[in-house]
Amino acid sequence: MSALAPGSLILGIESSCDETAVALVRADRTIVAQAVASQDAEHRPFGGVVPELAARAHVERLTPMIEAVLADAGITLAQVDAIAATAGPGLIGGVMIGLVTAKALSFAANKPLLAINHLEGHALSPRLVDSGLQFPYLLLLVSGGHCQLLAVDGVGQFRRLATTIDDAAGEAFDKVAKILGLGFPGGPAVERAAKTGNPFAHKLPRPLLHTDEPHFSFAGLKSAVLRAWAAATDKSPQAAADLAASFQAAVVDCLTDRTRRALAVMPEATALVVAGGVAANTAIREALRSVAVGAGLPFVAPPLWLCTDNAAMIAWAGAERLALGLVDGLDAVARPRWPLDPDGETVRGAGVKA
């Protein structure tokens, strides 16, 4: 960060899905102020995120939240050094609202604009809380829409080693929660149920386990849960917990197996890093920690609040890019899809959603 004064302040805006978030982060890794507004209550009746409702909520909440975060920090927009906003990938309505707001602030205050890839925000977020984390590292980026193993060689420098060929792990968690009637949001609901369940109660598939193909697949596992629940005569809370635990154990096995394979082809990795919403799952974190220990590498995982969508990671990615002079013009576009490795090899299947 030598090109950026440690006291430089970045205003971050995140609106790619169903969290409206604003944060002020210094280049010395200090989180000065932040706010996150969840939309769980709005989407819970539908069992999933409704894009139009999410966009409307961003419109209503974003400007007051920016004002509140600046007031909390005791500064004005004029004292901010740059403005970073998620420019994709994500629900295009929400992405546009956040990016257009950032453009307006950038133009009005004559501040540099940083159009941030949401996935890069996740990928660099561990460096916000761990100043010792050095490139290159192996990243398991696991969320509701993405499941990838990436070699992170530097800011803006990513090599995709594996991705999902169908569903992402987080999407599978959400669908299983809906199948079992566990509530919304699905990932935390499945994890809570699994804590009281028997992970050996159901013999579920582990797609691509121990194969030479580097990628992930969760569609078959999700379908197996659906069939098992449809055939069950016992649909008690304990039966649901057993199936949730069996599902979670299968996901853990798939994630750890594919991660070991990626480590084998990336001997230069300085650490094993996990990020993204599903990285908040305790069972997954502990299993990956064991993989790192077995490989003789440090294991780095952001705190739980930094795994889910937030603006601190967007501000930090902005700080990293600003330090390298990687700023954007007001013509930056909002993107529903935006791969970190646009030149990466085409992968079979329909799961490449970045």
Side-chain angles (χ1 to χ4, degrees), residues 22 37 56 152 169 200 202 206 211-213 224 235 292 341:
V22 180
R56 289 181 179 182
V152 183
F200 305 104
H202 295 268
R206 270 77 168 158
T211 64
D212 291 334
E213 182 167 1
K235 288 186 166 62
D341 59 334

Side-chain angles (χ1 to χ4, degrees), residues 82-87 98-108 110-116 321-322 325-335 338:
I83 298 162
T86 296
L99 182 59
V100 168
T101 300
K103 288 181 179 182
L105 296 175
S106 170
F107 180 78
N110 193 27
K111 303 294 181 180
L113 173 70
L114 301 146
I116 304 299
R321 296 185 70 82
L322 186 61
L326 302 175
V327 299
D328 297 282
L330 294 178
D331 58 349
V333 297
R335 313 186 197 190
W338 189 3

Side-chain angles (χ1 to χ4, degrees), residues 18-19 38-41 43-44 47-49 170 173-175 177-178 182-192 308:
D18 61 331
E19 272 87 25
S38 171
Q39 298 180 16
D40 287 354
H43 301 288
R44 184 171 289 113
V49 177
F173 267 92
D174 289 341
K175 294 292 177 57
K178 199 166 186 177
L182 297 176
F184 177 84
V190 171
E191 183 180 11
R192 285 193 299 271
T308 53

Side-chain angles (χ1 to χ4, degrees), residues 233-320:
T233 56
D234 177 8
K235 288 186 166 62
S236 65
Q238 185 57 54
D242 289 343
L243 189 48
S246 298
F247 162 77
Q248 181 174 270
V251 172
V252 167
D253 286 349
C254 292
L255 293 177
T256 54
D257 177 72
R258 303 290 81 192
T259 300
R260 288 190 186 95
R261 189 192 182 286
L263 284 171
V265 300
M266 191 185 171
E268 72 276 21
T270 62
L272 171 58
V273 179
V274 64
V278 181
N281 182 290
T282 302
I284 290 173
R285 288 166 81 99
E286 292 310 307
L288 290 170
R289 188 185 306 277
S290 296
V291 171
V293 170
L297 290 173
F299 176 64
V300 180
L304 300 184
W305 69 265
L306 195 51
C307 292
T308 53
D309 290 349
N310 64 90
M313 70 178 189
I314 302 303
W316 174 251
E320 294 250 41

